[in-house]
Amino acid sequence: MVGIIDDVQLFYPLGTRIKIGDNYGTVRYVGEVTGHMGTWLGIEWDDGLRGKHNGIVDGKRYFQTQTPTGGSFIRPGKVGPCATLEDAARERYLNYDSSNVDESLIREAQLTLQASLFEVVGMDKIARKQSKFEQLAEVSVDQTPVNAAGYLKELTHLTTLNVSHTLIWNWEIVASIAQQLPSLTNLNLSSNRLVLPTSSQITELEPSFRQLKRINLRSCGFSDWMDVMHTALLWPNILSLGLQENSFGQLAEVDRKKIFKQLHELDLHRTNIMDFDQVAKLGNLTTLRLLNIMENGIEEIKLPDCDSQEKLNMFVSLEQLNLLHNPIWNEADAFNELDKLPQLKRLSKTPHLKSNFDEMFSKAVANIASLQFINKTEVTAEQRRGAEYDIWKKYALEWMQATQEGPDSLREFCRRHRTYPMLLEKYGSPADFVPRSQAKQSNLINVSIRHQLTGETWQKKVPRMITVQTLQGLVMKRFRLSGDVPQLCYVDALHPDLVVPLDNNAKTLDFYSVQEHDTVLVQ
């Protein structure tokens, strides 16, 4: 029996990955089980509900799982065959009739062309291209039982490799693949569980990864950020790193003398980071341009304090931040904090439940001076002017009160409204506006409505609560317009350089702060 166990242990060393049906697992034990004949493999399943126990059987612990029902014992004979990357790639790409075309390449082409179906001719063309094995630039063997490299030196043009959902289980295997592929720059290892490399292994294996620029480790079982930083010593020249759906929630400052020296993109989508203070620990990544922290349960954005006229010396190259699907409860405060980042140009965020995109858009544009896009929508000069003007008027009285109360109150006001000093420089003092806004207001206001094309002007008394849509109807009737509904904007009587578009038909003139003697322009 000892000899049999030794053979099994050689074939299934601890940490080996196995697959039975659609279920992936990791070998945690090899040997006998009391009361049961023969040799058994103790498996920890990726699906924590797949097993029957946590490694304890009849009161005896054989191995440990992360979940109470993540473990099972199986016979070695139940484990399916494994394959080398070479064999899996040849099988997938050399059998080039239409039925054997790589589905992942089809999906990629569909997304690129925004098409749901391919004609048979198109599929055959892709298949024939795939069949030229040594010329392949991209290979995907996802969801195959690959656990070894094989001979890959013919793939001299290969730049992109997808070995996600395979049976690769340690970095020695990955290194044996990478060192044979000198052109490899993009590597997808998602949904594999790799044994943490030792320091001596890192020293030995690191040269094999020097050509790698992008690596995806989505759902690879990382539960400790320290393990990520330790493993990152393997990839000295990495530009893009995907760590989506790993379960770590605590981060730590990175030693940039050792890792992430050139990192441009970091994806932390759907991890367990629920506190933005943890994100701030990565602020010393001076080359980072894109950070994805969507779906992380973050409720508040808080960064270190700095003067309203200054930016923080952190995330100094960050241009794009993805905050989608985080339950941030105070949008204005969050945007005010993000204005501290020196290069932020693109922001993705889901509106608060009590807000909508237009309101969120206006707040973001007014509070983040450098913002150019929000949710892929470009900020136009008119939109910025309108958003800034709204903030300039909204906080006018609060600014005047802070000014009268003294320097400390004014500093506190500017801390909470960082862009306001810039708005004062841009639009001047709102002092003239404050008395008018505080006076008792009539329900009707006199406005001038001017047709820009003909120059004709109509003096009209209208309700403050009239909607833009209703006013458009009156304008079309008065100026005898037909065809498309005219676009309206207004010029503030006290600040004629400010032109505010009335771009939401459902909003009222009061919403846009149209006042007595303002001029509505018909475009």
Side-chain angles (χ1 to χ4, degrees):
M1 179 63 71
V2 173
I4 295 175
I5 293 176
D6 288 343
D7 289 343
V8 175
Q9 287 175 334
L10 287 173
F11 201 77
Y12 296 105
L14 299 186
T16 300
R17 298 283 287 165
I18 61 107
K19 182 182 180 183
I20 297 180
D22 293 330
N23 296 289
Y24 289 83
T26 302
V27 176
R28 299 299 186 197
Y29 172 82
V30 180
E32 297 179 343
V33 176
T34 302
H36 301 273
M37 294 291 293
T39 303
W40 296 83
L41 300 179
I43 306 299
E44 180 177 10
W45 300 103
D46 293 2
D47 178 358
L49 302 177
R50 166 68 173 79
K52 299 179 179 179
H53 51 73
N54 64 354
I56 297 176
V57 175
D58 297 331
K60 181 178 179 179
R61 176 169 297 284
Y62 294 89
F63 59 98
Q64 177 72 54
T65 64
Q66 294 185 11
T67 61
T69 56
S72 293
F73 281 106
I74 63 171
R75 295 288 191 184
K78 278 196 171 184
V79 179
C82 298
T84 65
L85 173 57
E86 176 195 7
D87 290 339
R90 288 186 181 278
E91 180 178 354
R92 181 166 287 190
Y93 290 93
L94 288 184
N95 299 326
Y96 68 86
D97 64 352
S98 296
S99 63
N100 289 327
V101 180
D102 183 359
E103 293 181 4
S104 63
L105 277 185
I106 292 179
R107 289 195 298 270
E108 181 180 339
Q110 287 173 337
L111 289 173
T112 302
L113 300 175
Q114 296 184 339
S116 58
L117 295 173
F118 278 103
E119 295 179 358
V120 173
V121 173
M123 292 178 67
D124 186 61
K125 185 176 181 180
I126 292 175
R128 291 182 182 278
K129 182 177 180 180
Q130 292 175 349
S131 72
K132 300 176 182 179
F133 190 71
E134 70 282 356
Q135 297 180 21
L136 289 171
E138 301 180 7
V139 164
S140 175
V141 292
D142 60 313
Q143 301 189 49
T144 61
V146 168
N147 73 347
Y151 184 78
L152 304 170
K153 292 185 178 181
E154 292 180 2
L155 297 170
T156 55
H157 300 283
L158 190 68
T159 62
T160 302
L161 176 62
N162 179 1
V163 285
S164 60
H165 283 98
T166 58
L167 302 183
I168 293 174
W169 63 279
N170 64 51
W171 287 98
E172 292 169 307
I173 298 172
V174 184
S176 67
I177 293 170
Q179 68 187 6
Q180 297 185 67
L181 303 172
S183 299
L184 183 66
T185 56
N186 306 315
L187 178 61
N188 187 349
L189 283 164
S190 298
S191 299
N192 292 305
R193 299 289 190 272
L194 293 102
V195 175
L196 195 67
T198 65
S199 297
S200 60
Q201 286 175 327
I202 288 174
T203 301
E204 177 187 350
L205 302 178
E206 178 269 332
S208 300
F209 297 106
R210 289 179 183 173
Q211 77 275 30
L212 273 187
K213 301 299 182 184
R214 295 172 179 83
I215 188 166
N216 192 341
L217 296 171
R218 181 181 193 134
S219 188
C220 282
F222 284 106
S223 58
D224 191 328
W225 176 251
M226 304 304 291
D227 291 344
V228 173
M229 293 197 294
H230 176 75
T231 307
L233 293 166
L234 287 168
W235 334 300
N237 301 313
I238 200 75
L239 300 179
S240 177
L241 176 60
L243 291 166
Q244 317 92 299
E245 298 180 14
N246 287 285
S247 61
F248 50 79
Q250 303 290 315
L251 300 178
E253 185 174 333
V254 170
D255 184 350
R256 292 194 62 256
K257 293 180 180 179
K258 297 181 178 179
I259 60 172
F260 301 156
K261 299 175 185 179
Q262 306 173 58
L263 191 66
H264 291 173
E265 301 176 0
L266 179 60
D267 193 341
L268 301 176
H269 168 203
R270 203 183 294 163
T271 56
N272 285 339
I273 302 169
M274 303 184 71
D275 187 343
F276 198 81
D277 288 346
Q278 297 297 322
V279 179
K281 294 177 182 179
L282 303 180
N284 71 326
L285 295 178
T286 57
T287 59
L288 192 67
R289 298 175 187 172
L290 183 153
L291 177 61
N292 182 359
I293 49 175
M294 66 184 291
E295 293 187 89
N296 270 300
I298 295 171
E299 297 182 349
E300 183 181 18
I301 305 292
K302 186 64 179 173
L303 287 164
D305 285 334
C306 68
D307 188 271
S308 63
Q309 304 297 303
E310 298 176 350
K311 302 291 187 179
L312 291 171
N313 186 29
M314 62 188 300
F315 292 117
V316 294
S317 299
L318 188 67
E319 297 180 355
Q320 187 169 346
L321 178 63
N322 189 339
L323 289 169
L324 286 171
H325 306 296
N326 283 289
I328 296 170
W329 56 272
N330 191 318
E331 290 180 336
D333 285 354
F335 298 146
N336 186 64
E337 290 293 307
L338 292 175
D339 182 66
K340 298 174 182 178
L341 300 180
Q343 297 293 335
L344 187 62
K345 295 179 176 64
R346 294 171 177 264
L347 178 66
S348 298
K349 183 187 175 300
T350 309
H352 190 277
L353 290 175
K354 294 183 179 180
S355 179
N356 57 52
F357 176 77
D358 290 337
E359 292 179 12
M360 181 189 73
F361 183 94
S362 182
K363 290 177 190 175
V365 171
N367 284 288
I368 305 176
S370 60
L371 198 63
Q372 297 177 4
F373 291 83
I374 181 163
N375 292 9
K376 299 184 180 180
T377 299
E378 186 171 8
V379 179
T380 66
E382 284 189 2
Q383 288 170 327
R384 177 166 293 284
R385 186 166 55 246
E388 290 176 346
Y389 188 46
D390 285 345
I391 293 293
W392 179 77
K393 290 190 296 184
K394 180 177 181 179
Y395 296 113
L397 180 60
E398 188 179 340
W399 171 77
M400 289 198 62
Q401 290 173 341
T403 302
Q404 294 167 4
E405 291 171 1
D408 290 343
S409 294
L410 187 57
R411 274 193 296 271
E412 175 60 20
F413 172 84
C414 292
R415 185 190 68 78
R416 290 183 285 108
H417 308 289
R418 286 179 47 84
T419 58
Y420 209 82
M422 178 197 69
L423 301 184
L424 293 174
E425 291 182 11
K426 202 170 183 178
Y427 304 122
S429 169
D432 293 337
F433 173 79
V434 174
R436 181 172 68 165
S437 68
Q438 300 304 306
K440 184 176 180 180
Q441 296 180 331
S442 168
N443 290 328
L444 298 175
I445 52 175
N446 287 295
V447 296
S448 297
I449 303 175
R450 186 166 73 242
H451 193 297
Q452 288 189 291
L453 186 62
T454 65
E456 183 180 357
T457 300
W458 178 29
Q459 299 295 330
K460 176 67 175 174
K461 185 174 286 190
V462 296
R464 291 181 184 275
M465 301 308 293
I466 190 174
T467 64
V468 173
Q469 184 177 26
T470 302
L471 182 60
Q472 286 172 324
L474 293 176
V475 165
M476 293 185 72
K477 185 175 181 180
R478 174 63 176 78
F479 292 112
R480 297 178 295 281
L481 303 177
S482 59
D484 294 338
V485 176
Q487 298 299 308
L488 306 180
C489 59
Y490 84 91
V491 179
D492 190 292
L494 294 183
H495 302 276
D497 57 324
L498 294 176
V499 180
V500 180
L502 304 176
D503 51 7
N504 189 328
N505 292 348
K507 298 297 185 181
T508 65
L509 296 190
D510 185 64
F511 172 82
Y512 286 105
S513 301
V514 177
Q515 303 291 336
E516 190 85 2
H517 305 308
D518 287 347
T519 299
V520 175
L521 302 178
V522 182
Q523 299 175 321

